[in-house]
Amino acid sequence: FEDIAKGATGVKNLGILKADVNNLGLIFSNGFKFNETKVSVSRISNLSKMLDTFFSKFIESSIEHKSLKQGSLGMEIDTSDFYVVYSGGDDLMIVAPWDKLILFSQFLNDKFSEFTRNDYFTLSMGLELAKVGEPFYQCAKSVEEAEKNTKNSGKNGITIFDRYLPWDKFS
């Protein structure tokens, strides 16, 4: 993690990002009803596979390119120091230089919106800074709390520096 932190501009801290799709259980249980009573198993299965593809394939391959163009902020993101802790299903956790991870969070939200093309699918994220040498389990617990804060504060945004920020105010 020390090498990852060296990639940050300014303070050489790590960033830990945790992201999760909002209301997925509700979407699964109510979003695919037709005739008011039946739920299509194939639709649920397909959605589950598509979300997993986004998180496990698209995001990981985007990071592997080592450089991303962040459209809405118009900046390049160097992802050469990114480490994917886990990615799949409907969530992910990434460790990277803190400043690059802030830009990446907006990239991730933008790409997820493009991928789903549906306003019911939104992301909640938490981003925490950590000093090199802090026990990772404590960092993971802190970023989980930040993500929960986002979900409790309105969803569809990010908690960063202990503050909830909806995506429409991020830029």
Side-chain angles (χ1 to χ4, degrees):
F1 287 139
E2 187 173 339
D3 289 339
I4 293 173
K6 287 179 185 176
T9 303
V11 176
K12 303 300 182 193
N13 283 344
L14 296 170
I16 299 137
L17 178 73
K18 186 168 184 319
D20 185 59
V21 176
N22 293 314
N23 305 317
L24 194 56
L26 185 64
I27 291 168
F28 276 142
S29 64
N30 294 327
F32 294 110
K33 287 186 178 179
F34 58 96
N35 296 339
E36 296 301 317
T37 57
K38 297 181 182 177
V39 176
S40 168
V41 173
S42 64
R43 287 182 181 188
I44 292 171
S45 176
N46 191 43
L47 174 59
S48 181
K49 287 178 187 174
M50 293 303 291
L51 288 173
D52 184 62
T53 297
F54 177 81
F55 284 102
S56 66
K57 305 285 189 267
F58 173 75
I59 294 302
E60 288 186 21
S61 69
S62 294
I63 289 171
E64 288 173 4
H65 281 99
K66 307 295 184 207
S67 180
L68 302 172
K69 181 73 171 168
Q70 207 306 347
S72 64
L73 296 178
M75 303 178 82
E76 287 284 324
I77 306 168
D78 176 8
T79 59
S80 58
D81 295 327
F82 280 44
Y83 177 77
V84 177
V85 178
Y86 61 82
S87 179
D90 72 324
D91 60 353
L92 62 82
M93 182 182 283
I94 298 173
V95 176
W98 69 274
D99 55 334
K100 295 173 186 173
L101 207 50
I102 293 171
L103 297 174
F104 180 79
S105 67
Q106 180 70 48
F107 170 84
L108 176 62
N109 187 64
D110 290 349
K111 292 301 178 187
F112 187 72
S113 294
E114 288 174 22
F115 181 77
T116 60
R117 297 181 189 194
N118 185 322
D119 293 339
Y120 291 108
F121 288 89
T122 60
L123 291 175
S124 285
M125 296 185 208
L127 196 152
E128 286 288 313
L129 276 61
K131 293 184 173 140
V132 174
E134 281 187 59
F136 189 74
Y137 76 91
Q138 288 178 338
C139 300
K141 186 176 178 181
S142 292
V143 77
E144 179 126 350
E145 290 299 317
E147 182 195 41
K148 283 181 185 176
N149 183 63
T150 301
K151 289 191 176 273
N152 292 333
S153 298
K155 301 182 181 178
N156 196 23
I158 186 168
T159 294
I160 182 168
F161 305 120
D162 296 322
R163 180 176 169 211
Y164 166 71
L165 187 62
W167 289 119
D168 62 355
K169 305 252 192 266
F170 186 87
S171 327

